[in-house]
Amino acid sequence: EIVLTQSPGTLSLSPGERATLSCRASQSVSSNYLAWYQQKPGQAPRLLIYSASSRATGIPDRFSGSGSGTDFTLTITSLEPEDFAVYYCQQYGSSPLTFGGGTKVEIK
Amino acid sequence: EVQLLESGGGLVQPGGSLRLSCAASGFTFTGYAMTWVRQAPGKGLEWVSSISSSGGSTYYADSVKGRFTISRDNSKNTLYLQMNSLRAEDTAIYYCAKTPEWPSELNWFDPWGQGTLVTVSS
């Protein structure tokens, strides 16, 4: 099973600042099959990025994904008020599918 | 607009059973795999099970294998999760999600339903 470790656990930033979220895999993720989701309180998760760097439909271009192998990054270039949420990475390169523990982006 | 509406959650005693449903609309149901993901209260996300578009292939997390059964009725555009021998640790919000089938039925999820809460307690 691939274990995904997200860091930091919490990121305290101000609107307009850049957010850099890390997702590290315990072994290489096949074909860089890694996705990122955003979840706000009381809501279902929303897909942001798939295949490590492809933005999902309707996702603003301030969200970008990068990385390969075991190290992946989600970057939000300039935080908007609606971006404060919890972010999860997920690998689908091998079964069982696994999620990281999440990074909470909170307002400083 | 794609819509996924889960139902069937509730309070059940340990050892009991429950069947969740997910009614899909706004897309060609037979063209996509489907998935159940759960989230325990205040915790992270856990993949539970996926099923191919035809229903011919199913996949399960070890934590539910042998106790849960995923199925679908393509004539009704509905996904199901039959949960037996429920345990306290199965308490969670259960989400259904649309899943592309290329390159595999094990894939990313988009979109997700709003979820249904299952509480296992005496």
Side-chain angles (χ1 to χ4, degrees):
Chain A
E1 170 176 326
I2 295 179
V3 176
L4 299 179
T5 302
Q6 291 188 243
S7 61
T10 302
L11 201 49
S12 298
L13 296 168
S14 301
E17 289 195 293
R18 180 186 189 94
T20 303
L21 287 66
S22 173
C23 177
R24 181 160 293 176
S26 60
Q27 54 190 279
S28 185
V29 176
S30 174
S31 301
N32 297 326
Y33 285 157
L34 188 109
W36 290 93
Y37 301 87
Q38 175 194 68
Q39 187 177 33
K40 297 179 182 179
Q43 295 186 17
R46 177 176 70 145
L47 177 71
L48 300 174
I49 302 287
Y50 62 94
S51 294
S53 60
S54 297
R55 257 189 312 275
T57 302
I59 300 303
D61 60 7
R62 64 181 181 272
F63 291 92
S64 64
S66 63
S68 64
T70 60
D71 288 298
F72 299 89
T73 301
L74 175 70
T75 302
I76 311 170
T77 52
S78 178
L79 283 164
E80 297 287 339
E82 61 268 27
D83 299 337
F84 292 91
V86 179
Y87 293 83
Y88 294 96
C89 57
Q90 175 233 335
Q91 68 81 23
Y92 51 98
S94 63
S95 182
L97 307 184
T98 52
F99 290 88
T103 290
K104 181 179 182 180
V105 179
E106 65 175 23
I107 299 176
K108 187 174 181 180
Chain B
E1 179 194 3
V2 174
Q3 290 198 340
L4 299 169
L5 185 62
E6 301 95 336
S7 61
L11 175 64
V12 61
Q13 292 189 337
S17 298
L18 215 52
R19 188 176 85 154
L20 306 183
S21 299
C22 170
S25 61
F27 66 101
T28 303
F29 189 65
T30 54
Y32 291 88
M34 295 293 293
T35 296
W36 289 99
V37 176
R38 68 184 180 184
Q39 185 170 36
K43 302 298 184 183
L45 302 167
E46 180 187 16
W47 170 71
V48 173
S49 182
S50 296
I51 187 168
S52 64
S53 58
S54 67
S57 297
T58 58
Y59 310 85
Y60 297 94
D62 285 347
S63 59
V64 306
K65 199 174 295 182
R67 300 187 299 122
F68 291 10
T69 302
I70 191 171
S71 63
R72 61 193 292 162
D73 185 336
N74 284 347
S75 68
K76 296 182 178 179
N77 286 1
T78 302
L79 173 73
Y80 302 101
L81 186 67
Q82 177 67 43
M83 304 186 296
N84 299 331
S85 303
L86 282 161
R87 306 166 180 167
E89 54 265 36
D90 296 318
T91 294
I93 296 172
Y94 285 73
Y95 298 100
C96 66
K98 174 172 159 275
T99 305
E101 281 206 309
W102 187 90
S104 161
E105 296 100 346
L106 298 180
N107 218 316
W108 37 265
F109 317 124
D110 180 49
W112 302 46
Q114 281 305 299
T116 186
L117 177 62
V118 172
T119 303
V120 184
S121 174
S122 55

